[in-house]
Amino acid sequence: MKKVLLLCLVVALICIPAYLWLRQEPLQPPARKISIAISTTPLSAPFIVAKARGLFRQHGLEVELQPLDGGLLCFQKLIARQVYMATSSESVVMFNSFEHDDFSVLASFAESDKDIKLLSLKASGLSRPQQLAAKRIGIVEASSSEFFLYAYMLLSGHGDLGFTQVNMPVQELASALLEKRVDAISVWEPYGHQLQRLMPQEWLEFDTKGVYSLSFNLLGHKTDDPEDLRTNTRVLRALAQAIDVMDSEPAQAKRLVGQYLDMPAAELDALWPDYVFKLSLGNALIANLQMQAHWAIATGQVRAGSTPDFRRLLDHRALNSLPLFAQTL
């Protein structure tokens, strides 16, 4: 009898740990580490909020945000394969689609019709398009800054007005204006508002409302790798959650964005109503890209040739996998 009891005890000591091991939850795979280049603008708010609230981590991702001064620099990082994803305006997409076809647009996530401004110094008296004849205007080449200037001149009926385009990095535009190296600048936020804050009585803003509605977009590498497709979907799910947080907790969202961008609360409060945050990817973006491409060819901003097929740039797979979009796209 003692031998039987001893045998039962040995069997129990072997079987119980094995049973418990089989019943435990499977180990979670390690989080995939990716880097995303984002422009240092409030338009990047969904990424900032998703990172700060741990939403990427909830979807099995360890995301490093790389803040850069503008979508063009973000795009260059993407093409050099120094980051997994990047953000940019549709103008950057358009300009670069003439040279590159190895990237995709995964979603638009922000829109604004007041993010870019045309500014001059009050001492110059420049505030109307016809006054820009023979003037020097600072812009960021191959970006929304450049397209915005030409769109404004065309729509105001002064498309053939002669002026000198001065190309420079966005962070140099304000100093170039203040030092009178240029007469006006086409600049996106928050750089325009920073200039206005530094010299509140010294600048003039051209009336450009309704001229151009900018979209900000998430770009990735062209891929059919199943793991990349899963990663892209997880990023968009985290962004969708972040936008929900921004809608339900705007004060908290602005606090997180202001801290990340080192922007005063009053400055961000003034800009925030100009932005619409939502995920989309459709015909409106294609039409905008086509319109800008026709302009770029007609004005010699890009090498003459056939317009890229922008439909081939749009990759709907990740966005289509989100429940909200599965039946609508």
mmCIF file of all heavy atoms in Angstrom, residues 227-248:
data_model
loop_
_atom_site.group_PDB
_atom_site.id
_atom_site.type_symbol
_atom_site.label_atom_id
_atom_site.label_comp_id
_atom_site.label_asym_id
_atom_site.label_seq_id
_atom_site.Cartn_x
_atom_site.Cartn_y
_atom_site.Cartn_z
ATOM 1 N N GLU A 227 3.698 40.259 -42.404
ATOM 2 C CA GLU A 227 4.012 40.899 -41.131
ATOM 3 C C GLU A 227 3.928 42.422 -41.252
ATOM 4 O O GLU A 227 3.443 43.110 -40.346
ATOM 5 C CB GLU A 227 5.405 40.483 -40.654
ATOM 6 C CG GLU A 227 5.811 41.087 -39.317
ATOM 7 C CD GLU A 227 4.871 40.703 -38.180
ATOM 8 O OE1 GLU A 227 4.230 39.639 -38.263
ATOM 9 O OE2 GLU A 227 4.768 41.488 -37.215
ATOM 10 N N ASP A 228 4.389 42.968 -42.385
ATOM 11 C CA ASP A 228 4.271 44.409 -42.604
ATOM 12 C C ASP A 228 2.804 44.828 -42.687
ATOM 13 O O ASP A 228 2.421 45.877 -42.158
ATOM 14 C CB ASP A 228 4.992 44.821 -43.894
ATOM 15 C CG ASP A 228 6.507 44.800 -43.753
ATOM 16 O OD1 ASP A 228 6.993 44.888 -42.609
ATOM 17 O OD2 ASP A 228 7.194 44.683 -44.777
ATOM 18 N N LEU A 229 1.989 44.032 -43.361
ATOM 19 C CA LEU A 229 0.566 44.361 -43.488
ATOM 20 C C LEU A 229 -0.108 44.351 -42.121
ATOM 21 O O LEU A 229 -0.948 45.215 -41.827
ATOM 22 C CB LEU A 229 -0.121 43.379 -44.438
ATOM 23 C CG LEU A 229 0.391 43.378 -45.889
ATOM 24 C CD1 LEU A 229 -0.357 42.345 -46.712
ATOM 25 C CD2 LEU A 229 0.261 44.751 -46.514
ATOM 26 N N ARG A 230 0.263 43.387 -41.265
ATOM 27 C CA ARG A 230 -0.295 43.362 -39.913
ATOM 28 C C ARG A 230 0.172 44.590 -39.117
ATOM 29 O O ARG A 230 -0.611 45.185 -38.362
ATOM 30 C CB ARG A 230 0.121 42.070 -39.197
ATOM 31 C CG ARG A 230 -0.638 40.834 -39.646
ATOM 32 C CD ARG A 230 -0.388 39.666 -38.715
ATOM 33 N NE ARG A 230 0.983 39.174 -38.838
ATOM 34 C CZ ARG A 230 1.360 38.235 -39.695
ATOM 35 N NH1 ARG A 230 0.474 37.681 -40.515
ATOM 36 N NH2 ARG A 230 2.614 37.827 -39.731
ATOM 37 N N THR A 231 1.429 44.951 -39.294
ATOM 38 C CA THR A 231 1.959 46.120 -38.582
ATOM 39 C C THR A 231 1.249 47.392 -39.023
ATOM 40 O O THR A 231 0.879 48.238 -38.193
ATOM 41 C CB THR A 231 3.476 46.252 -38.831
ATOM 42 O OG1 THR A 231 4.135 45.097 -38.309
ATOM 43 C CG2 THR A 231 4.030 47.500 -38.167
ATOM 44 N N ASN A 232 1.049 47.551 -40.323
ATOM 45 C CA ASN A 232 0.352 48.732 -40.827
ATOM 46 C C ASN A 232 -1.055 48.839 -40.247
ATOM 47 O O ASN A 232 -1.517 49.925 -39.880
ATOM 48 C CB ASN A 232 0.284 48.692 -42.357
ATOM 49 C CG ASN A 232 1.650 48.756 -43.015
ATOM 50 O OD1 ASN A 232 2.644 49.078 -42.363
ATOM 51 N ND2 ASN A 232 1.709 48.449 -44.297
ATOM 52 N N THR A 233 -1.729 47.704 -40.162
ATOM 53 C CA THR A 233 -3.080 47.689 -39.588
ATOM 54 C C THR A 233 -3.044 48.092 -38.118
ATOM 55 O O THR A 233 -3.889 48.880 -37.656
ATOM 56 C CB THR A 233 -3.695 46.290 -39.732
ATOM 57 O OG1 THR A 233 -3.805 45.961 -41.125
ATOM 58 C CG2 THR A 233 -5.073 46.236 -39.093
ATOM 59 N N ARG A 234 -2.071 47.594 -37.377
ATOM 60 C CA ARG A 234 -1.970 47.927 -35.953
ATOM 61 C C ARG A 234 -1.707 49.420 -35.752
ATOM 62 O O ARG A 234 -2.259 50.030 -34.828
ATOM 63 C CB ARG A 234 -0.858 47.095 -35.314
ATOM 64 C CG ARG A 234 -1.194 45.615 -35.212
ATOM 65 C CD ARG A 234 0.022 44.802 -34.812
ATOM 66 N NE ARG A 234 -0.287 43.375 -34.739
ATOM 67 C CZ ARG A 234 0.617 42.431 -34.572
ATOM 68 N NH1 ARG A 234 1.901 42.744 -34.454
ATOM 69 N NH2 ARG A 234 0.254 41.159 -34.522
ATOM 70 N N VAL A 235 -0.876 49.997 -36.601
ATOM 71 C CA VAL A 235 -0.615 51.438 -36.495
ATOM 72 C C VAL A 235 -1.903 52.229 -36.707
ATOM 73 O O VAL A 235 -2.225 53.147 -35.945
ATOM 74 C CB VAL A 235 0.457 51.876 -37.512
ATOM 75 C CG1 VAL A 235 0.546 53.403 -37.576
ATOM 76 C CG2 VAL A 235 1.820 51.294 -37.136
ATOM 77 N N LEU A 236 -2.674 51.867 -37.728
ATOM 78 C CA LEU A 236 -3.911 52.600 -38.009
ATOM 79 C C LEU A 236 -4.943 52.404 -36.905
ATOM 80 O O LEU A 236 -5.693 53.334 -36.585
ATOM 81 C CB LEU A 236 -4.488 52.165 -39.353
ATOM 82 C CG LEU A 236 -3.690 52.589 -40.590
ATOM 83 C CD1 LEU A 236 -4.464 52.257 -41.860
ATOM 84 C CD2 LEU A 236 -3.343 54.072 -40.563
ATOM 85 N N ARG A 237 -4.977 51.226 -36.310
ATOM 86 C CA ARG A 237 -5.904 51.019 -35.190
ATOM 87 C C ARG A 237 -5.532 51.904 -34.003
ATOM 88 O O ARG A 237 -6.407 52.483 -33.347
ATOM 89 C CB ARG A 237 -5.896 49.544 -34.781
ATOM 90 C CG ARG A 237 -6.643 48.640 -35.765
ATOM 91 C CD ARG A 237 -6.541 47.182 -35.378
ATOM 92 N NE ARG A 237 -7.337 46.353 -36.290
ATOM 93 C CZ ARG A 237 -7.267 45.029 -36.365
ATOM 94 N NH1 ARG A 237 -6.418 44.381 -35.561
ATOM 95 N NH2 ARG A 237 -8.012 44.360 -37.215
ATOM 96 N N ALA A 238 -4.241 52.027 -33.738
ATOM 97 C CA ALA A 238 -3.805 52.903 -32.652
ATOM 98 C C ALA A 238 -4.134 54.362 -32.964
ATOM 99 O O ALA A 238 -4.555 55.117 -32.075
ATOM 100 C CB ALA A 238 -2.303 52.739 -32.426
ATOM 101 N N LEU A 239 -3.964 54.765 -34.226
ATOM 102 C CA LEU A 239 -4.299 56.140 -34.605
ATOM 103 C C LEU A 239 -5.798 56.393 -34.485
ATOM 104 O O LEU A 239 -6.220 57.484 -34.062
ATOM 105 C CB LEU A 239 -3.830 56.425 -36.035
ATOM 106 C CG LEU A 239 -2.328 56.438 -36.279
ATOM 107 C CD1 LEU A 239 -2.036 56.740 -37.740
ATOM 108 C CD2 LEU A 239 -1.629 57.451 -35.379
ATOM 109 N N ALA A 240 -6.611 55.416 -34.866
ATOM 110 C CA ALA A 240 -8.059 55.573 -34.732
ATOM 111 C C ALA A 240 -8.445 55.764 -33.267
ATOM 112 O O ALA A 240 -9.288 56.609 -32.937
ATOM 113 C CB ALA A 240 -8.776 54.359 -35.318
ATOM 114 N N GLN A 241 -7.819 55.002 -32.379
ATOM 115 C CA GLN A 241 -8.073 55.173 -30.950
ATOM 116 C C GLN A 241 -7.617 56.547 -30.471
ATOM 117 O O GLN A 241 -8.282 57.200 -29.662
ATOM 118 C CB GLN A 241 -7.344 54.086 -30.157
ATOM 119 C CG GLN A 241 -7.977 52.717 -30.233
ATOM 120 C CD GLN A 241 -7.215 51.716 -29.379
ATOM 121 O OE1 GLN A 241 -6.189 51.177 -29.794
ATOM 122 N NE2 GLN A 241 -7.701 51.479 -28.183
ATOM 123 N N ALA A 242 -6.461 57.001 -30.965
ATOM 124 C CA ALA A 242 -5.945 58.308 -30.558
ATOM 125 C C ALA A 242 -6.895 59.420 -30.975
ATOM 126 O O ALA A 242 -7.137 60.368 -30.220
ATOM 127 C CB ALA A 242 -4.566 58.538 -31.170
ATOM 128 N N ILE A 243 -7.444 59.325 -32.174
ATOM 129 C CA ILE A 243 -8.388 60.341 -32.640
ATOM 130 C C ILE A 243 -9.650 60.332 -31.781
ATOM 131 O O ILE A 243 -10.220 61.390 -31.483
ATOM 132 C CB ILE A 243 -8.705 60.130 -34.136
ATOM 133 C CG1 ILE A 243 -7.450 60.435 -34.979
ATOM 134 C CG2 ILE A 243 -9.875 61.003 -34.583
ATOM 135 C CD1 ILE A 243 -7.574 60.075 -36.442
ATOM 136 N N ASP A 244 -10.087 59.139 -31.356
ATOM 137 C CA ASP A 244 -11.222 59.061 -30.430
ATOM 138 C C ASP A 244 -10.902 59.774 -29.120
ATOM 139 O O ASP A 244 -11.747 60.490 -28.556
ATOM 140 C CB ASP A 244 -11.576 57.602 -30.149
ATOM 141 C CG ASP A 244 -12.265 56.928 -31.323
ATOM 142 O OD1 ASP A 244 -12.770 57.653 -32.207
ATOM 143 O OD2 ASP A 244 -12.292 55.681 -31.365
ATOM 144 N N VAL A 245 -9.692 59.588 -28.610
ATOM 145 C CA VAL A 245 -9.265 60.272 -27.383
ATOM 146 C C VAL A 245 -9.265 61.782 -27.596
ATOM 147 O O VAL A 245 -9.721 62.552 -26.729
ATOM 148 C CB VAL A 245 -7.862 59.795 -26.954
ATOM 149 C CG1 VAL A 245 -7.302 60.684 -25.835
ATOM 150 C CG2 VAL A 245 -7.901 58.344 -26.493
ATOM 151 N N MET A 246 -8.782 62.219 -28.746
ATOM 152 C CA MET A 246 -8.730 63.657 -29.042
ATOM 153 C C MET A 246 -10.125 64.263 -29.105
ATOM 154 O O MET A 246 -10.333 65.422 -28.734
ATOM 155 C CB MET A 246 -7.972 63.882 -30.351
ATOM 156 C CG MET A 246 -6.479 63.535 -30.238
ATOM 157 S SD MET A 246 -5.687 63.209 -31.831
ATOM 158 C CE MET A 246 -5.917 64.789 -32.639
ATOM 159 N N ASP A 247 -11.084 63.474 -29.596
ATOM 160 C CA ASP A 247 -12.468 63.958 -29.665
ATOM 161 C C ASP A 247 -13.117 64.004 -28.282
ATOM 162 O O ASP A 247 -13.867 64.940 -27.969
ATOM 163 C CB ASP A 247 -13.294 63.049 -30.584
ATOM 164 C CG ASP A 247 -12.926 63.217 -32.050
ATOM 165 O OD1 ASP A 247 -12.343 64.273 -32.406
ATOM 166 O OD2 ASP A 247 -13.203 62.298 -32.835
ATOM 167 N N SER A 248 -12.835 63.001 -27.459
ATOM 168 C CA SER A 248 -13.508 62.899 -26.160
ATOM 169 C C SER A 248 -12.779 63.652 -25.060
ATOM 170 O O SER A 248 -13.393 64.066 -24.074
ATOM 171 C CB SER A 248 -13.661 61.430 -25.766
ATOM 172 O OG SER A 248 -12.394 60.802 -25.646
#
